[in-house]
Amino acid sequence: MERAYAHKNGVHHRTAHVWILRRREGKIQVLLQKRAETKSFPGCYDISSAGHITAGQEFLESAVRELREELGITANESDLVYCGDRRIVWDDVFFGEEYHDRQFTKVYFLWADVEESDLVLQEEEVSGVLWMDLDECISGVRDNAFKNCIYPEELEMVRERAKH
């Protein structure tokens, strides 16, 4: 079904979230995606790469596809590290339309030491990217220190898994 239909009618659907991480100066950094102004949560910093899973597709397959489409990153399914599952329920209004999100999500991370300038952004989805220290990002999300639509619990799942 179409993404717009799912969100308008609160239909349960599957998504895959991939957080891109790298190590710099002894710290873990996370790549944040800035959502395009035409998307829900316009201009907010968000998950490195995420997407709805189309019929017949699996979580890992979708995650790898979204990385390539949104950021130009080529990865194998075996490169992704599973962090856990989440259920997301969210209701809002965007551009005058009701928005009802009902997701079942598998969360992954990918180690990828890439420069922002090397990424090929999907303009209709992504207006920019930003590397941020992971701990600072979690604090910033909790304190609402920057415009974002990130669930801190999800980032904490990623941080915990990345330490092992």
Side-chain angles (χ1 to χ4, degrees):
M1 90 183 55
E2 292 290 322
R3 181 184 336 197
Y5 180 87
H7 288 160
K8 183 179 178 91
N9 297 287
V11 177
H12 290 270
H13 56 280
R14 301 173 303 147
T15 60
H17 294 179
V18 181
W19 295 89
I20 299 172
L21 305 178
R22 71 180 182 185
R23 285 190 175 90
R24 288 283 167 98
E25 299 175 9
K27 294 186 176 185
I28 297 175
Q29 293 183 333
V30 60
L31 183 74
L32 302 180
Q33 173 189 124
K34 188 173 183 183
R35 296 175 63 84
E37 293 296 325
T38 56
K39 301 284 294 172
S40 56
F41 304 100
C44 286
Y45 283 100
D46 200 1
I47 302 154
S48 307
S49 177
H52 287 236
I53 298 172
T54 58
Q57 217 174 36
E58 296 300 324
F59 285 94
L60 282 169
E61 180 183 5
S62 176
V64 167
R65 176 182 50 81
E66 290 290 342
L67 282 167
R68 188 175 54 254
E69 288 177 1
E70 292 181 355
L71 302 172
I73 292 177
T74 301
N76 296 313
E77 292 179 11
S78 60
D79 297 331
L80 301 182
V81 179
Y82 173 72
C83 299
D85 297 338
R86 296 200 56 242
R87 292 189 186 279
I88 298 169
V89 176
W90 181 267
D91 297 297
D92 211 327
V93 175
F94 293 105
F95 309 108
E97 298 288 327
E98 288 187 25
Y99 180 92
H100 307 285
D101 200 3
R102 305 290 184 269
Q103 293 182 39
F104 175 76
T105 302
K106 288 197 178 286
V107 179
Y108 305 92
F109 75 77
L110 170 70
W111 291 111
D113 192 355
V114 296
E115 296 302 324
E116 295 169 20
S117 59
D118 293 334
L119 299 172
V120 180
L121 306 182
Q122 184 181 20
E123 291 179 15
E124 57 271 15
E125 299 274 335
V126 185
S127 65
V129 292
L130 172 71
W131 281 107
M132 185 180 283
D133 175 84
L134 180 58
D135 292 330
E136 289 176 19
C137 183
I138 292 171
S139 296
V141 168
R142 287 215 175 274
D143 298 340
N144 207 25
F146 61 97
K147 188 175 179 182
N148 74 85
C149 51
I150 297 169
Y151 293 93
E153 304 82 14
E154 186 167 321
L155 263 182
E156 288 169 357
M157 286 171 52
V158 170
R159 177 173 61 185
E160 189 59 33
R161 186 72 172 96
K163 287 181 178 179
H164 300 295

